[in-house]
Amino acid sequence: QLKTVEPGRQSNEFNLAALENIARLRVFGYTGEIHIDGGVNHITLEKILDYRPNALNIGSAIAKSQDPYGAFFELKSLVEAKLPNI
């Protein structure tokens, strides 16, 4: 599980540089699942998906939305558009 925000509470700022750790893990031959935890939303999602993580842990983007159901399906459709074979 790769933390992409400073741990502590929901809605902390996304750390784009943390995604580079995915590339490093793969260069070193890591074959396990890679989970992204923190800062995943409709703005950061496209860049996150460039690194092809195995799982996304999404909290604030859904829970704090005016329409959590709609937010979930919006994020889901963005993932499916970028990675159609998931």
Side-chain angles (χ1 to χ4, degrees):
Q1 181 172 338
L2 178 64
K3 293 296 287 181
T4 49
V5 297
E6 186 67 32
R9 63 182 175 83
Q10 284 187 329
S11 301
N12 281 345
E13 188 173 333
F14 183 75
N15 178 3
L16 185 61
L19 293 176
E20 292 298 323
N21 291 323
I22 294 174
R24 287 186 197 105
L25 285 169
R26 292 197 171 124
V27 164
F28 288 116
Y30 180 75
T31 59
E33 286 193 357
I34 297 174
H35 295 229
I36 298 297
D37 184 12
V40 181
N41 59 45
H42 67 282
I43 296 168
T44 60
L45 187 59
E46 185 171 348
K47 187 62 177 171
I48 291 168
L49 294 177
D50 286 343
Y51 289 85
R52 302 185 64 86
N54 301 97
L56 303 169
N57 300 326
I58 305 172
S60 299
I62 295 171
K64 293 184 177 182
S65 172
Q66 294 287 338
D67 177 15
Y69 185 80
F72 170 80
F73 282 102
E74 177 186 357
L75 292 166
K76 182 178 182 288
S77 68
L78 291 171
V79 170
E80 290 170 341
K82 181 117 182 182
L83 303 174
N85 295 326
I86 280 190

